[in-house]
C-alpha cells in the first residue's frame, strides 16, 4: 500500500494509486445531525485554499 506522504495534489494521489480515506459522509453526518454544531477545519498553508 502506498501512502501519499508529502503529496498535496489530490489528482496525483488518485492517478498514482495512493491510499486515502474519504471522510465526506462522516463530516456530513456530524454537521447535519447536531443542531448547534461548529466545525473547524485546519488546513496546511501549502494547500493554498
Amino acid at each position: 500500500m502506498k501512502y501519499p506522504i508529502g503529496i498535496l495534489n489530490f489528482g496525483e494521489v488518485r492517478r498514482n494509486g495512493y491510499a486515502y480515506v474519504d471522510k465526506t459522509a462522516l463530516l456530513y453526518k456530524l454537521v447535519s445531525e447536531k443542531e448547534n454544531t461548529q466545525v473547524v477545519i485546519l488546513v496546511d498553508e501549502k494547500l493554498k485554499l
Side-chain angles (χ1 to χ4, degrees):
M1 184 176 294
K2 296 175 7 178
Y3 299 101
I5 297 170
I7 298 174
L8 301 176
N9 182 310
F10 185 69
E12 185 178 344
V13 170
R14 296 282 295 163
R15 279 191 302 277
N16 294 316
Y18 288 100
Y20 70 95
V21 177
D22 183 356
K23 295 187 178 184
T24 305
L26 179 64
L27 287 171
Y28 177 79
K29 182 178 178 182
L30 173 71
V31 174
S32 65
E33 289 184 355
K34 304 293 182 186
E35 189 171 310
N36 295 317
T37 301
Q38 294 181 354
V39 177
V40 177
I41 299 175
L42 303 175
V43 178
D44 189 311
E45 64 182 35
K46 294 177 190 172
L47 293 177
K48 298 180 183 175
L49 296 176

